[in-house]
Amino acid sequence: MSPLQSRYKIENREYVYDPTMLRLHYDTFTIMNDEEFLENLPSALHFACFMSFVLKLDHVKTLSDVGIIHELVHLSNKSTKRFSDVKEVRQKFEDLFVNIPDKFDIDAKYPKKSGQKNS
């Protein structure tokens, strides 16, 4: 394991958090043209789900009608693609996921900018 990698557990399964790999994926998505991005929507959607989890983003920023996950799903379906603008969705994607944390603590409190409330 590299020095930046860390381990975390969910339901007794262990996972590795690797910020270097996440930055590489993010950079790859941001240099794609729109056509390439659309061809790689399953990967972009997977990345968005994971980063939404890591950043502890709230349901409005992720799942609502204006949420990034919801928008990416619209782009992936021929019948709903017209409801989302690929350039706007990509800008939202880039803005939400640009700051990939070096460390991930699954038990950490929600950051203020996440929109979530700490108990």
Side-chain angles (χ1 to χ4, degrees), residues 36-66:
E36 292 168 328
F37 188 82
L38 290 170
E39 288 172 3
N40 287 280
L41 271 176
S43 295
L45 188 53
H46 183 258
F47 180 86
C49 287
F50 183 70
M51 287 308 303
S52 295
F53 166 68
V54 166
L55 297 171
K56 300 180 186 255
L57 298 179
D58 72 14
H59 61 284
V60 174
K61 292 180 181 176
T62 56
L63 302 175
S64 73
D65 289 324
V66 296

Side-chain angles (χ1 to χ4, degrees), residues 10-21:
I10 300 175
E11 297 181 359
N12 294 321
R13 288 190 64 191
E14 190 170 83
Y15 300 90
V16 174
Y17 176 77
D18 187 344
T20 304
M21 186 60 66

Side-chain angles (χ1 to χ4, degrees), residues 88-106:
E88 289 177 12
V89 173
R90 292 190 69 190
Q91 188 61 57
K92 185 181 294 187
F93 183 97
E94 291 178 20
D95 292 345
L96 283 172
F97 306 130
V98 65
N99 295 315
I100 296 170
D102 286 338
K103 298 287 180 195
F104 172 57
D105 179 359
I106 194 167

Side-chain angles (χ1 to χ4, degrees), residues 28-39 86 90:
T28 301
F29 290 123
T30 60
I31 62 171
M32 291 178 180
N33 63 38
D34 290 346
E35 185 177 324
E36 292 168 328
F37 188 82
L38 290 170
E39 288 172 3
V86 67
R90 292 190 69 190

Side-chain angles (χ1 to χ4, degrees), residues 109-110 117-119:
K109 293 194 178 282
Y110 293 108
K117 293 182 182 175
N118 290 301
S119 46

